[in-house]
Amino acid sequence: LVCQGGVTLQNQTLKNAELVALDKMKAQDLSINHTTGAIHANGPGWVSSIRMGSANPIMAPGASTSPTTATADPRQLQYLEVDFDRTAEGNLNQRSLTFFGDVRGVHGSVDRWDARIDPNSVDGPSPGQVRLTSHSLTVTQTGLGSGPRGTLEIEARGNAVAEGNESGQLFTARAEKMSFIQAKEQLILEGTGRTDAQLWRQTQPGGVPEESAARKILYWLRTQVVRVDDFKILNLNETPQPAANRPSAAARGQAVPR
């Protein structure tokens, strides 16, 4: 299957006649091999996904086992959108897609199937949201063996920057490689031999941000637990600057209309 000149796709997943997932994609050109599952799209474009939340545990080691911290609402709608400039390629059978070129993503909860969270918004992330920019980003749907919903795993590479808001507690993370595991609400930050991964957290409004710099940082968003390898910790008096201002979707030629 080859489509050119502007392509829009939409897919609905039903379980017992109930909508459990809604996926959309916009690209300039698209090719799909139905035999192998290979998919390739030319941008600029975007992909969005709304899925019912998983009942997987959201738990850091040693954290409370109360229902409010251990389990996500299985009917909560989880939203993911990724905007990309260059290309997207992956495999539908393997439920994996990689985006290249000025990639911007956002993940958070919504209350309607027609809701949207803009990854290019100039405002900071709202409570429960994580925004991410990088040179490339891979999204993989996992856990399908236990049900049709699955969960998402996201891996960003190349000057990855994440900004998040968990119940008013703000954080900014920078790393060469960054992974987000939805089932655990966990960020994994990995630096290089020359550059450490960095994490700033402002746990109280107006408070002094705390910085963690290490070769590897594990951060559980929901429980605020941080674990580091080969670490150094600094206290900063100033909040770090937000992610570098990259051109918005509109500034990139308005090529990704809704």
Side-chain angles (χ1 to χ4, degrees):
L1 174 66
V2 177
C3 302
Q4 296 178 326
V7 183
T8 301
L9 296 179
Q10 178 171 307
N11 180 69
Q12 295 181 341
T13 302
L14 303 177
K15 180 182 179 182
N16 297 327
E18 180 183 20
L19 182 63
V20 296
L22 177 62
D23 303 306
K24 299 179 181 180
M25 182 176 191
K26 175 72 174 182
Q28 302 309 301
D29 305 299
L30 176 70
S31 63
I32 300 175
N33 186 318
H34 288 289
T35 301
T36 65
I39 180 173
H40 179 91
N42 291 320
W46 53 265
V47 169
S48 69
S49 177
I50 302 181
R51 322 185 85 79
M52 280 193 181
S54 168
N56 291 314
I58 299 176
M59 180 66 61
S64 168
T65 57
S66 66
T68 57
T69 58
T71 305
D73 180 358
R75 300 192 64 81
Q76 174 68 63
L77 299 180
Q78 300 293 325
Y79 184 89
L80 173 71
E81 180 174 325
V82 178
D83 289 13
F84 63 99
D85 270 0
R86 289 170 47 199
T87 61
E89 58 187 41
N91 192 288
L92 297 178
N93 297 335
Q94 298 172 3
R95 301 284 183 170
S96 182
L97 195 60
T98 300
F99 306 89
F100 299 95
D102 192 17
V103 181
R104 290 179 174 268
V106 64
H107 176 270
S109 299
V110 294
D111 57 7
R112 306 186 319 274
W113 287 103
D114 61 348
R116 178 177 180 252
I117 306 173
D118 185 3
N120 299 291
S121 173
V122 296
D123 299 326
S126 299
Q129 292 182 5
V130 176
R131 299 180 185 274
L132 182 65
T133 63
S134 61
H135 296 323
S136 69
L137 185 145
T138 299
V139 179
T140 304
Q141 186 181 4
T142 63
L144 293 175
S146 58
R149 298 172 188 172
T151 59
L152 296 176
E153 295 187 4
I154 301 171
E155 181 179 285
R157 290 178 177 269
N159 194 28
V161 178
E163 296 177 295
N165 183 334
E166 183 58 45
S167 301
Q169 299 187 17
L170 307 178
F171 75 86
T172 298
R174 290 186 174 93
E176 181 61 25
K177 176 184 176 183
M178 186 180 303
S179 304
F180 174 68
I181 303 175
Q182 181 190 18
K184 298 180 180 179
E185 289 288 315
Q186 181 191 55
L187 275 178
I188 302 174
L189 316 176
E190 298 181 57
T192 66
R194 297 181 178 179
T195 306
D196 286 329
Q198 295 174 290
L199 173 66
W200 290 268
R201 296 188 302 143
Q202 189 173 23
T203 58
Q204 297 180 356
V208 177
E210 299 177 355
E211 179 189 13
S212 300
R215 182 180 58 84
K216 184 175 183 179
I217 302 174
L218 280 68
Y219 176 44
W220 286 264
L221 279 64
R222 184 67 59 90
T223 58
Q224 301 292 308
V225 171
V226 177
R227 290 191 174 182
V228 297
D229 292 339
D230 298 335
F231 72 95
K232 59 183 179 181
I233 299 178
L234 302 173
N235 288 326
L236 303 181
N237 293 322
E238 297 181 357
T239 303
Q241 295 296 316
N245 293 325
R246 300 182 183 181
S248 65
R252 287 183 263 153
Q254 298 180 344
V256 289
R258 293 298 185 271

